[in-house]
Amino acid sequence: MFLVHLHLTGTAGPPPGHGDAHALQDLLWAHADPWHRLEHVTVRSVSGGIRIVLFLAAPTAERAGAQAAELIADVSNSGLLARYRISGIG
């Protein structure tokens, strides 16, 4: 299992709120398909954005990063992420 950290920064509108973090965590679980191999997710509002920590079952760290990117791409269709940009996957 690998840990993948993502940081989202706001691009428009009001600063990220506590509700955005909860909604995003729910969206991640709702969009996670078996091939994402999501084991656990934590989403927190932080100064200037949102911090996401994903625990993914994967054979390598690179594959875990790819699975995380695929999951985020699926969630981005929901509209919530339109106000954010991903400033890092690691």
Side-chain angles (χ1 to χ4, degrees):
M1 185 175 329
F2 290 91
L3 204 72
V4 178
H5 296 269
L6 298 101
H7 187 78
L8 305 178
T9 53
T11 59
H18 188 64
D20 284 355
H22 284 292
L24 182 54
Q25 184 165 331
D26 289 345
L27 283 169
L28 287 162
W29 279 118
H31 284 85
D33 286 318
W35 60 83
H36 292 121
R37 303 190 66 197
L38 181 64
E39 298 288 330
H40 182 73
V41 59
T42 302
V43 181
R44 300 278 187 258
S45 293
V46 295
S47 178
I50 295 177
R51 184 186 69 216
I52 302 170
V53 179
L54 303 171
F55 292 82
L56 298 156
T60 64
E62 292 78 21
R63 182 65 199 136
Q67 289 166 211
E70 291 168 10
L71 179 56
I72 291 296
D74 290 346
V75 171
S76 67
N77 294 327
S78 70
L80 176 65
L81 293 182
R83 295 183 347 171
Y84 298 97
R85 68 176 153 73
I86 299 173
S87 58
I89 295 180

